[in-house]
Amino acid sequence: RGTLVFFYQPLESGNELTTRAMVSFSPTASVRDSCRQWMDNSKTRDDRVGGESVSSIKVPPQNAILSVSINYDALDRFSLEIANSILANKSLRVSEWDADGWHYTGNNYRAGVGGTSECDVLMKMERVALYVLTLDAINFCFWPTSRKDSKNILEYEHLAVALRKVAEQDDAADMCDSTGNASIGSDSSVVQSSPTYALSPTNLRKLTPTQLQDLLLPYLPQSLDDSSENIPTHYEIPDIYVRCQLLNELGHGLLEKHNASALHMISKANDSADALVSIILDTFPGFRDYIDRDVSSSHNWDAAKKSHSTVHFYKRAQIAVADLWAALGRCRKQSSAIAKNSKPSKLLTCCRFEDMDTITTFPDYRVPQILRHVNVLEYREDLARKVDSQVELDKGCTDEISIRAATVVAVEDLVLKVKDHFFSSSSKSVDEEAQRNLQALASDVSAVTIDWYLWQQGEKLDRLHLLQPHHRVHTTFY
């Protein structure tokens, strides 16, 4: 760190955002730097982000003991366990985007009429991108409930599946032709979904809370009794008004700044994950997940980006970029018909980001929960008592910041340790092919893939009731 970061900053130009390379705010570097400084406040550091010193971040007093610490002996053991698992399986073994059938893939889009032309593929990508942005705009805090006599057991997969079914409603009807139902610019730089698509920017902007409820409720599971706890349960989408406002904001931002096209917005990042996070933050205020201890600048985005008192997280903005990469970039193959095209649209590869290693872990509930389970994160007794008793923490309190900052730092160090184990275990090997295989395995280990691994392991353990409770904060950020 301590270097200037080049990225593409959105600038107002007419009714859309254009981009130009410049030295400025890097959201992912800011997350790494501010979280590490929060956890390492006893040291004097002169890190810089975009030329601005962040060495004076306001952290707890130097003599204060943070309520969360990282056990590096446990981290080393856990990293060795992960490294050995990867070497044994020749893979990190994280599920692909559609492995569980939760997410919308567009696979049935225009299935009855072929759907393999470049036009069809771009329209399918646009629909999937809108699904991803919609899902991650409202992917937060599922545990609150309006009912005192029943437990809300809504989980991420229930919301993902419900939105998938909403997105599939017009798969067969949506068309990519001259009828005006859907459109692609003459240079294939702008792809706009049809008005029949429930998640089109136009429909999202005018969505009401009642309409959102009516869209999703038919696709949620039926309530049932939880035999393990012998209490009534139900499926409820909490904070429906706030979630609707965030979807209105998503539709408005795409319409006003990105020609009503998700792919058009993504293409402005020029294959940079970090740049796309920045574009999302500048376009949609609801994704601005930071805590500024300086009240005077806490509600001013431009000031908060520069403030020495800001701790950055950007969980939903970063996970949206990672999900776009997983769905449309990581392992996506082009059809043979498009491969033969001498000048295919650049939009076809706009989600193949070249700097995915800049994205940090997504500091939410599950990852710190699993890290605590394996003793990598240790909570001070008073915080442990609150978390285990499911006492809600105040949003923005020192305990919450410490849990999330420790999660970011721990995963960063976990990634480095896993890679170290790869090459320390093979230091005596002279087999060039084995070294290449190790390099390939190491290249797939990042904060994103480790996050997916931890999240999936946590989901399995949670279903077996083997995890302690996660911390609780009523927030829209995770």
Side-chain angles (χ1 to χ4, degrees), residues 137-379:
I138 58 177
N139 175 16
F140 60 86
C141 209
F142 299 117
W143 52 264
T145 180
S146 62
R147 296 169 57 176
K148 303 299 182 184
D149 60 340
S150 179
K151 179 181 178 182
N152 184 19
I153 56 175
L154 184 82
E155 295 285 353
Y156 168 81
E157 63 263 32
H158 303 130
L159 180 63
V161 169
L163 275 176
R164 186 204 80 206
K165 292 179 178 179
V166 169
E168 290 172 341
Q169 288 175 346
D170 73 327
D171 263 355
D174 199 357
M175 302 293 287
C176 182
D177 55 23
S178 60
T179 63
N181 290 333
S183 65
I184 292 185
S186 58
D187 61 352
S188 296
S189 63
V190 178
V191 182
Q192 295 176 336
S193 61
S194 102
T196 65
Y197 188 44
L199 307 182
S200 72
T202 299
N203 288 331
L204 291 176
R205 180 162 69 172
K206 64 183 182 182
L207 192 66
T208 68
T210 300
Q211 290 171 337
L212 178 58
Q213 195 91 273
D214 291 343
L215 272 177
L216 297 176
L217 281 182
Y219 300 122
L220 295 180
Q222 296 298 308
S223 298
L224 47 82
D225 288 337
D226 187 337
S227 57
S228 64
E229 299 183 33
N230 197 29
I231 58 174
T233 62
H234 67 285
Y235 295 87
E236 175 187 350
I237 302 174
D239 300 318
I240 195 71
Y241 286 90
V242 176
R243 283 180 159 88
C244 187
Q245 288 173 354
L246 291 170
L247 294 181
N248 296 156
E249 176 187 275
L250 176 62
H252 178 81
L254 290 171
L255 284 164
E256 296 300 317
K257 299 181 178 180
H258 302 291
N259 277 347
S261 171
L263 291 184
H264 188 54
M265 178 185 75
I266 295 166
S267 69
K268 295 175 182 179
N270 289 345
D271 305 322
S272 169
D274 182 57
L276 183 54
V277 173
S278 186
I279 290 170
I280 289 172
L281 294 175
D282 280 343
T283 304
F284 313 112
F287 281 87
R288 296 171 188 169
D289 171 17
Y290 65 88
I291 295 172
D292 190 350
R293 309 288 281 185
D294 183 353
V295 177
S296 65
S297 62
S298 62
H299 298 295
N300 184 311
W301 174 229
D302 288 330
K305 286 190 287 188
K306 300 174 183 177
S307 173
H308 298 158
S309 59
T310 301
V311 184
H312 309 259
F313 296 111
Y314 310 125
K315 186 261 182 175
R316 288 195 292 106
Q318 291 197 87
I319 206 171
V321 173
D323 285 345
L324 289 166
W325 176 65
L328 299 172
R330 188 181 184 210
C331 298
R332 186 174 171 276
K333 296 180 180 179
Q334 294 181 2
S335 70
S336 57
I338 295 173
K340 294 177 182 177
N341 188 336
S342 61
K343 291 185 178 181
S345 170
K346 291 182 179 180
L347 293 182
L348 292 168
T349 59
C350 67
C351 292
R352 295 182 183 176
F353 308 116
E354 297 174 353
D355 59 347
M356 279 303 298
D357 59 343
T358 63
I359 301 294
T360 74
T361 193
F362 317 122
D364 51 15
Y365 297 109
R366 184 67 79 218
V367 177
Q369 185 184 28
I370 187 69
L371 289 176
R372 185 186 179 207
H373 177 75
V374 296
N375 300 315
V376 171
L377 293 190
E378 296 181 341
Y379 293 178

Side-chain angles (χ1 to χ4, degrees), residues 98 103-112 114-115 124 128 168 171:
D98 59 344
H103 300 118
Y104 178 68
T105 63
N107 287 342
N108 293 321
Y109 171 71
R110 301 199 74 211
K124 180 190 297 185
V128 172
E168 290 172 341
D171 263 355

Side-chain angles (χ1 to χ4, degrees), residues 9 32 65 110 136 144 158 205 215 255 362 409 468 475:
Q9 178 177 343
R32 281 184 171 83
I65 299 175
R110 301 199 74 211
D136 287 324
H158 303 130
R205 180 162 69 172
L215 272 177
L255 284 164
F362 317 122
V409 173
Q468 296 166 284
T475 177

Side-chain angles (χ1 to χ4, degrees), residues 10-31:
L11 300 171
E12 295 289 350
S13 177
N15 67 342
E16 64 170 318
L17 286 175
T18 58
T19 58
R20 65 181 174 86
M22 63 179 296
V23 181
S24 192
F25 173 70
S26 166
T28 59
S30 297
V31 173

Side-chain angles (χ1 to χ4, degrees), residues 409-423:
V409 173
V411 172
E412 289 296 308
D413 292 342
L414 198 58
V415 169
L416 295 176
K417 280 286 187 180
V418 169
K419 293 185 177 186
D420 284 347
H421 287 310
F422 281 172
F423 297 106

